[in-house]
Amino acid sequence: MEIRNSLGLHVRPASELAKLAQTFTCRIRLVAGRDDVDARSVMGLMTLGLEQGAKFELRAEGDDDAAAVAALSELVERGFDEK
Amino acid sequence: MEIKKGIAVSPGVAIAPAFLLESEDYRIPERKIRPERADGEVLRFDAAVAAARKEYEELREKAREDAGDLVAGIFNAHSMILSDPAVSGEILKGIREHNRTAEYALSLVMRRYAKIFLGHKNRQFADRVQDIYDIERMLLRHLIGERRENLSNLSTEVVVIAHDLTPSQTAALDRNKVRGFATDAGGRTSHVAILARALGMPAVVGLKNISLEVSGDDTVIIDGHQGIVVIRPDRATLEKYRETEKRLHRTETELSGMRTMPAVTLDGVKITMLGNIEFPHEVDDCLKNGAEGIGLYRTEYLYLGQDKEPTEEDHLRAYSEVVAHMPDKPIVLRTLDLGADKYLPGRTAEHEPNPFLGLRSIRLCLQEPEMFKTQLRAVLRAAAKGNIRIMFPMITTISELRQAKALLGHVMEDLDEEHVPFDRNVKVGMMVEVPAAAYILSDFAREVDFFSVGTNDLIQYTLAVDRGNEAVASLYSPANPAVLRLLKHVVTAADEAKVEISICGEMGGDPDYTLVLLGMGFRVLSVTAPGILEVKKVIRSISIEQAKAVADKVLTLDSDREVISFLKETTRKLLPENF
């Protein structure tokens, strides 16, 4: 996937993503290059420093993994409701 | 273990837990716990998190009322970080698996993240580091609460780590507990450097981001000789430095035997040792080491870090305190030696491209006569209570000297009219630091009561080098042949004119150069308190005849390197126990 919004994965979108990830029970990881973080961790997401256009992968494993991936991708595609 | 390199500004070795000085002065009281306390520690941590979360909610509500949702939103982020499973997971692991206190565990984790954020090229991400510090402080506040320590009431020995240290932060520090300093910012002439040298403690500055690398209470080694700081040393490094510390302590003990010894050469020539001070309390250290007076009392600190210029009473209070510590010995007070660009409170001076060659020191004072008169009035009044002498810095021309003396005359007239007591016969001298004055010293000799050579600036101006500029600092050397010959010229001219001359720059306190300076003809040295002992040791181990031979030889050499190696060889022969 790719980051859409202009400011990148800064604190606000990272919080949104983490909050959403926490509503699911499966394991969710966000992988970008050599970094691999728990999507539930705001801090972890921010350390990636993903800017607009940065590419990454969402990996989920568990009961509701399909739903998780769908919801999270949609959030990213919407650019976290930012410009 | 991490090793950081900075600028060594005060020699010595210190090994102690770090006291991280930030704006709120939180010191982590302990690092480790016994394993059975882990559960209790986890409870403490959870309680602190809950309290912090509650506080964030209150802050968010208030922010929402005051400034709207967008601003309030930042507290959401902080709250989320508090509940971040990765963060709390690491902290709890630190508590349970590594037996750390909640404070130490949390601090280590936060600093680790801070370091990652600072590494981001994107400013936006890098700035998030402030959030991390805020959260760390918030949690520490809830954990530590009333047990806060600051520099004046420490319970154990520490080394102080900070971004920078201001005079007000260090004003009341506990000298028995502070062992050394390390800062991100600063150079050879910054406050922490001067303070550390005066206290005889190691200091390393210019480390760029040491305050981020160190967690409160980490064991830190400060190596003030090599300009190295070691954080969380491994056993081998710790042992090595403990050995060095022991060796230095032995030397110090030997040196303390010098305290009451007179500064007399083997062939009976007396050298007058004076002290360099900045703060009144340093007078006692100088006296303890055998100083016969103060050869340089720097007064700039009265202006630094203040909101407004000091008043006449502010000056008088400080000077009177110095006199009180040393009522019967001479004190040479140097008038303001700063530049306008950085340091004077309440002034927006234009940026000078070459401040060192610009409007500073006596030049500034002569252009701002009201400010200068304030200081002069206070000095004259203080001179009525003790043996104070006035010294003008950075004198370049006879005309400047005459102007300064004329102003002093006006001030005396004013004080006369106001019937305020002062010393009419105060002795007036000048610093020899600008080459122009050094070259024609005999002309100046007719118009002053004494000279004092400011070798630091004299060397910089003569060699056209800024010793604070790492790119060229290696050019700066007291052993440079031109510098040595200029010094010889200066002392000879002063002797011929029968005007007292002393050295008050760092070179005077450097035992490597004592032989040369004495051999050239200098008989009065003004140095920092610790320097007094080191230099006395050399003086008592040599004869003036030897010194003269050394000086004569050195003045024929044509490179710093030859000079330094000759001096080292000679000192090795004359003082074998120093090696």
Side-chain angles (χ1 to χ4, degrees), chain B residues 146-406:
Chain B
E146 260 82 59
R147 293 185 292 146
R148 263 209 269 173
E149 281 189 338
N150 59 37
L151 282 183
S152 60
N153 71 339
L154 297 164
S155 54
T156 62
E157 289 187 353
V158 297
V159 291
V160 178
I161 315 284
H163 175 71
D164 203 352
L165 286 168
T166 64
S168 51
Q169 281 176 307
T170 52
L173 69 77
D174 182 343
R175 303 177 53 169
N176 294 321
K177 297 289 190 334
V178 175
R179 288 264 151 261
F181 304 94
T183 60
D184 297 340
R188 239 170 225 100
T189 54
S190 46
H191 170 70
V192 60
I194 295 175
L195 178 69
R197 283 196 290 261
L199 294 174
M201 292 180 190
V204 179
V205 303
L207 287 154
K208 309 269 190 339
N209 55 13
I210 188 89
S211 64
L212 307 168
E213 304 276 344
V214 176
S215 293
D217 226 50
D218 273 345
T219 300
V220 167
I221 300 177
I222 300 194
D223 178 343
H225 293 276
Q226 301 189 70
I228 286 177
V229 175
V230 184
I231 309 172
R232 295 181 295 272
D234 59 26
R235 174 173 295 166
T237 313
L238 195 56
E239 299 263 328
K240 187 180 83 142
Y241 272 105
R242 288 222 190 279
E243 274 310 305
T244 311
E245 212 185 17
K246 267 194 229 144
R247 186 167 41 84
L248 288 175
H249 193 69
R250 268 198 302 270
T251 317
E252 216 186 287
T253 319
E254 277 168 26
L255 279 183
S256 65
M258 282 290 132
R259 285 207 174 118
T260 50
M261 300 292 200
V264 177
T265 63
L266 290 175
D267 48 0
V269 174
K270 180 179 181 309
I271 310 296
T272 306
M273 298 300 300
L274 304 174
N276 288 350
I277 65 164
E278 193 179 11
F279 299 103
H281 67 77
E282 294 174 63
V283 174
D284 296 328
D285 291 332
C286 292
L287 283 175
K288 215 166 40 163
N289 290 351
E292 298 179 58
I294 299 299
L296 172 63
Y297 171 20
R298 297 186 177 87
T299 58
E300 289 71 54
Y301 76 97
L302 289 165
Y303 295 83
L304 287 173
Q306 312 290 346
D307 293 322
K308 47 183 183 46
E309 273 169 38
T311 62
E312 186 180 322
E313 295 309 316
D314 291 331
H315 280 279
L316 186 57
R317 202 174 321 121
Y319 305 159
S320 304
E321 211 189 316
V322 173
V323 169
H325 283 260
M326 194 183 251
D328 49 351
K329 298 188 166 58
I331 299 167
V332 176
L333 190 152
R334 181 181 72 186
T335 58
L336 182 61
D337 187 35
L338 286 180
D341 56 337
K342 288 182 219 170
Y343 302 112
L344 286 188
R347 278 162 198 277
T348 47
E350 284 108 56
H351 172 67
E352 284 188 311
N354 293 306
F356 205 43
L357 302 177
L359 185 68
R360 53 181 289 251
S361 192
I362 194 73
R363 303 169 179 185
L364 177 65
C365 289
L366 291 175
Q367 281 208 19
E368 303 273 352
E370 289 316 308
M371 177 187 79
F372 195 27
K373 277 188 189 173
T374 304
Q375 180 171 40
L376 292 176
R377 285 177 60 102
V379 180
L380 285 171
R381 290 172 63 191
K385 309 185 190 180
N387 188 347
I388 293 193
R389 304 175 172 193
I390 300 181
M391 179 164 72
F392 298 127
M394 204 186 176
I395 295 283
T396 309
T397 63
I398 298 266
S399 155
E400 268 177 346
L401 178 60
R402 289 177 185 158
Q403 278 179 59
K405 287 171 72 178

Side-chain angles (χ1 to χ4, degrees), chain A residues 7-12 14-16 18-19 22 38 40-51, chain B residues 70 74 76-78 80-81 83-87 110 113 116-117 120-122 124-125 128 131-132 135:
Chain A
L7 293 175
L9 195 61
H10 65 104
V11 62
R12 208 194 67 85
S15 309
E16 297 284 308
K19 210 157 62 171
Q22 285 173 14
D38 180 352
R40 284 184 177 73
S41 165
V42 179
M43 202 73 118
L45 290 172
M46 288 204 291
T47 61
L48 293 174
L50 294 178
E51 302 181 9
Chain B
L70 196 58
I74 191 62
N76 282 335
H78 285 196
M80 283 221 68
I81 292 177
S83 347
D84 187 317
V87 174
M110 291 305 198
Y113 278 109
I116 297 177
F117 281 104
H120 278 319
K121 288 185 299 297
N122 183 327
Q124 243 233 60
F125 287 103
R128 295 271 62 82
D131 296 323
I132 299 194
I135 297 170

Side-chain angles (χ1 to χ4, degrees), chain A residues 27-60:
Chain A
R27 252 173 53 100
I28 313 178
R29 312 284 306 174
L30 205 140
V31 182
R34 276 180 303 170
D35 298 312
D36 178 331
V37 302
D38 180 352
R40 284 184 177 73
S41 165
V42 179
M43 202 73 118
L45 290 172
M46 288 204 291
T47 61
L48 293 174
L50 294 178
E51 302 181 9
Q52 184 179 35
K55 302 235 191 316
F56 64 93
E57 259 183 43
L58 264 172
R59 296 189 193 157

Side-chain angles (χ1 to χ4, degrees), chain B residues 380-431:
Chain B
L380 285 171
R381 290 172 63 191
K385 309 185 190 180
N387 188 347
I388 293 193
R389 304 175 172 193
I390 300 181
M391 179 164 72
F392 298 127
M394 204 186 176
I395 295 283
T396 309
T397 63
I398 298 266
S399 155
E400 268 177 346
L401 178 60
R402 289 177 185 158
Q403 278 179 59
K405 287 171 72 178
L407 229 89
L408 191 64
H410 290 319
V411 170
M412 286 193 188
E413 280 169 21
D414 291 343
L415 290 173
D416 249 339
E417 275 169 36
E418 297 163 29
H419 300 294
V420 175
F422 67 95
D423 182 359
R424 197 178 307 274
N425 301 313
V426 67
K427 292 219 190 312
V428 178
M430 65 181 254
M431 284 197 58

